[in-house]
Amino acid sequence: MMVKKLGGFFAIIGLMVFLGSWAYHRLVNKATADLAMPPEQAWEVGIYLTVSFLFLGFFVSTLGIALVQEVMAERRGREMEKKYRAKSRYDMALSQGEKGA
């Protein structure tokens, strides 16, 4: 579920970048406004850009989530090892205390 949300976020970013670039060249930079591509081709490029950012978002978010899960698993492993060592020391101390009494 998180991958889809992050993929959608990247797609929105891609669309915003495309629209921002288009608006800049259309409104601010009048010299290149005449050199712009036809609207149909521009929207086609925008759709391709949005879809590519969607798949890029899927890829990046999948890698990120896997990395976070691996770090959490490593942390849990270390915590379990600490607990096991502490329990072993506690059991050893109890067994030595019983032998000495």
Side-chain angles (χ1 to χ4, degrees):
M1 184 66 161
M2 189 68 157
V3 172
K4 290 179 184 176
K5 289 180 183 178
L6 288 173
F9 176 70
F10 271 85
I12 290 170
I13 287 175
L15 186 60
M16 287 175 34
V17 166
F18 168 72
L19 290 176
S21 171
W22 179 80
Y24 171 77
H25 286 296
R26 194 60 140 169
L27 302 174
V28 177
N29 200 355
K30 298 285 186 183
T32 60
D34 297 333
L35 303 174
M37 62 180 84
E40 294 83 16
Q41 186 182 5
W43 283 108
E44 185 178 336
V45 168
I47 290 171
Y48 290 150
L49 181 69
T50 302
V51 170
S52 64
F53 267 79
L54 177 69
F55 287 119
L56 176 69
F58 285 160
F59 178 71
V60 170
S61 59
T62 301
L63 287 179
I65 290 170
L67 180 65
V68 168
Q69 286 178 344
E70 190 169 328
V71 167
M72 289 174 60
E74 185 67 29
R75 182 179 296 162
R76 277 194 299 269
R78 285 188 202 145
E79 288 175 3
M80 292 301 290
E81 188 177 334
K82 283 181 184 178
K83 288 179 184 178
Y84 176 74
R85 279 193 247 144
K87 186 178 181 324
S88 296
R89 278 188 249 132
Y90 177 75
D91 289 341
M92 190 178 356
L94 280 182
S95 66
Q96 288 177 356
E98 290 175 359
K99 289 179 185 177

